[in-house]
Amino acid sequence: FGSSLVGPTRAALHRSIHRFSAGEALPKPLAMSNFLKVLVKGARNLKDSDGAFGGGTDAYVRLRVLDSDGNTVAGPKETSVIEEGGANPEWNEEFIFEDLETPGAYSLKVTVLDKDSLCGIDALDVLAADDKLGSATLDLGTLDNTEDMVDKEMIVDDGWFSDSTVDIAVSTGGGWGN
């Protein structure tokens, strides 16, 4: 069988090792740590905030990660607007919140909004405030430590109605959680 080596020689390994000098930043690991992946699937039973003559609901979702004081620590991130999406829009859009310092102490705020335009003129959108259709909060400290996407149905309550829901899936990537 002789003395043949499998893999790199010791000299080759020595040449491939990078030595770090004092003060030099270490490279980030290949896998992200302390991130939250969110898949916004869709919503059900959204109310039409524009009224009978205002057109259908042009819904979108805004996501923010909040600390225990309600301060935004990541985001906001928004889905695309589903024009005339009606009461049951579908998004299927994925978002990643990276570099969360203490994710188990945070919450995910999910807000559903209705994009408004002024007289149907998109250029005047800055003058028209979007209508809030409702919001919900997910305590990230309740999430399991798993790479799997875990489905969550969230009731988005606007103070009057509480039968509207948003379907999301979340994953900690197996880097944190219970």
Side-chain angles (χ1 to χ4, degrees), residues 39-164:
L39 173 64
V40 179
K41 295 179 173 186
R44 304 285 166 263
N45 301 318
L46 295 181
K47 66 180 176 78
D48 185 359
S49 65
D50 293 331
F53 302 105
T57 301
D58 303 322
Y60 67 100
V61 174
R62 178 179 296 146
L63 304 169
R64 293 185 302 141
V65 176
L66 307 175
D67 65 14
S68 60
D69 295 325
N71 298 313
T72 300
V73 296
K77 297 187 181 216
E78 296 178 348
T79 65
S80 56
V81 175
I82 305 295
E83 296 193 24
E84 302 292 327
N88 303 309
E90 298 288 334
W91 289 280
N92 293 311
E93 294 180 35
E94 189 173 277
F95 301 91
I96 296 178
F97 294 94
E98 298 178 74
D99 300 323
L100 300 175
E101 195 172 315
T102 54
Y106 299 151
S107 60
L108 175 69
K109 178 132 187 204
V110 178
T111 305
V112 183
L113 298 124
D114 178 15
K115 180 78 173 165
D116 284 336
S117 61
L118 197 60
C119 303
I121 303 170
D122 290 339
L124 299 178
D125 280 354
V126 294
L127 302 176
D130 295 345
D131 297 317
K132 180 178 171 184
L133 300 179
S135 64
T137 303
L138 174 64
D139 179 354
L140 300 184
T142 65
L143 298 182
D144 291 331
N145 181 347
T146 179
E147 292 183 19
D148 297 335
M149 296 296 287
V150 178
D151 291 331
K152 301 283 184 186
E153 181 183 65
M154 303 182 69
I155 296 173
V156 288
D157 189 354
D158 69 352
W160 295 96
F161 302 96
S162 60
D163 62 343
S164 299

